Each structure stands twice: as C-alpha cells, then as structure tokens.
Amino acid sequence: MKKLEALISTYSDFPKKGIDFKDVLGIIQNPEIFRELISEMSSSEIVKNAEAIISIDARGFIFGSAIALHTSMPMIVARKPGKLPGKIIEQKYNLEYGENSLSIQKSALAKFNSFVIVDDLLATGGTVECVSNLLSGNGKEIKGLLTVVELSYLKGKARFNFPVKSIISF
Ligand code: AMP
C-alpha cells in the first residue's frame, strides 16, 4: 500500500513539540485509494467476527462509517465530552498529547454484544484502552481493533489482549 502511505502527511511538533502528527485526511481526497483501503479493512477477520462497529471521535468516524456501509454492519460511536444526548457512560483517558474523556450512549450500547473498535491511528493505546474499558465494563465482547495507522514504536498494541490490525505501521 505504497500509494496509501503517500497520502499520509507528517507534521512535526503538532499539536505539541515532540509529536510527529500523522494526517490521514489526504486519503479521503483520493476516492480510489480510499475505496481500496475500506475494502481491505472490511475484509479483516476481526470485522467478520463482530456484531457491530464502535468508531472513535472524530477521524475514526470517517473510516468506521465507510466500513459499516461496505459490510452492512451497524455502528455506534464513542464521543468526546458534551456531544451525546441521553444517558451515557463515560471514562477519562490519557493521550499522547493530553487528557480527555469518551462517552457512549447506553441505549446504543445495549443493542449489541460484540464489537470491533475502529480508529484512524493507534499511538500509545490510551484512547482505545478507554473504549475497551467502557465496553468490557458493561459486559461487551471486544473482537479486536482496526486502524489505518499504527505508530509501532509507541507499543500501544501491548496493552491489549485482543487482536489488532493496522494497514500501515510507522
Ligand atoms: P493514543 O491514545 O495515544 O493511542 O492516541 C490515538 C488517538 O489520538 C487517535 O484517535 C489519533 O487520532 C490521535 N493521535 C495520537 N497521536 C497521534 C499522532 N501522532 N498523529 C495523529 N493522530 C494522533
């Protein structure tokens, strides 16, 4: 996937000094490569084993909803604070560059038993660990994590006891 890699730009020292920010938004400016990527992500065993997708705010929504359409799977979302109406469950987490929290609508979560987590990028794994705690804390099964990019030097994968598939690893 050399063509895919060429669409991912690196911005040094963004949003903080010392962070190499990988910008995946170039992918959606190229529909052909985007389609190929979604097809490859959708064919993963992790996706096939899950009942539903949970995608992470905000770039995870782009890839998660495209996979949902491609596979005809239902999708729910994990969102940053103050965005979701109704009853929610919420948990704090640490980012490669800060702290935040994620929430899920209780009514959406109640409909499904097993999930594949989808995000654009795996860095330290704090974000996915937060979603994974929210899911397993509510009796849900996690079939795996699917991301476009993995920053393998940060060893985020080591935090999880479920399979992780990333299309590009730096
Ligand atoms: P982490 O919790 O450290 O695995 O961070 C993953 C989340 O933060 C993903 O939702 C990414 O969109 C974002 N993120 C963290 N580090 C980077 C980075 N170096 N480049 C782009 N996005 C990042």
Side-chain angles (χ1 to χ4, degrees):
M1 278 273 209
K2 272 267 164 266
K3 279 194 212 156
L4 178 67
E5 198 172 324
L7 297 177
I8 301 170
S9 313
T10 303
Y11 292 86
S12 296
D13 298 324
F14 180 86
K16 273 190 182 165
K17 208 169 168 41
I19 302 291
D20 271 341
F21 189 86
K22 301 287 180 192
D23 181 11
V24 297
L25 297 178
I27 298 169
I28 53 176
Q29 292 155 23
N30 189 316
E32 238 170 75
I33 307 278
F34 184 35
R35 190 179 298 115
E36 253 180 65
L37 169 68
I38 293 306
S39 172
E40 184 173 345
M41 290 177 90
S42 300
S43 68
S44 161
E45 280 304 308
I46 300 172
V47 175
K48 289 183 180 151
N49 290 337
E51 195 184 343
I53 295 165
I54 181 161
S55 61
I56 305 180
D57 200 344
R59 287 176 296 264
F61 298 167
I62 297 170
F63 302 98
S65 54
I67 295 166
L69 266 180
H70 192 93
T71 57
S72 296
M73 280 171 80
M75 183 181 94
I76 71 166
V77 297
R79 293 217 66 180
K80 286 167 189 160
K83 303 283 188 186
L84 287 174
K87 288 195 174 134
I88 56 163
I89 51 164
E90 187 166 23
Q91 192 175 312
K92 286 202 178 105
Y93 67 102
N94 293 313
L95 262 181
E96 193 187 359
Y97 44 75
E99 196 196 76
N100 213 330
S101 78
L102 283 171
S103 49
I104 303 173
Q105 277 173 316
K106 276 187 171 177
S107 58
L109 189 64
K111 290 180 186 153
F112 311 104
N113 292 312
S114 69
F115 290 90
V116 51
I117 304 170
V118 175
D119 203 1
D120 65 326
L121 180 141
L122 172 66
T124 64
T127 309
V128 170
E129 190 172 71
C130 174
V131 173
S132 131
N133 288 342
L134 284 166
L135 292 175
S136 48
N138 285 274
K140 306 299 176 182
E141 204 185 334
I142 300 156
K143 294 296 187 181
L145 165 68
L146 192 55
T147 68
V148 180
V149 177
E150 180 198 354
L151 303 182
S152 53
Y153 53 89
L154 292 173
K155 301 188 168 56
K157 223 192 241 182
R159 289 169 107 149
F160 311 123
N161 58 5
F162 44 76
V164 176
K165 178 168 165 77
S166 305
I167 306 301
I168 288 185
S169 178
F170 290 100

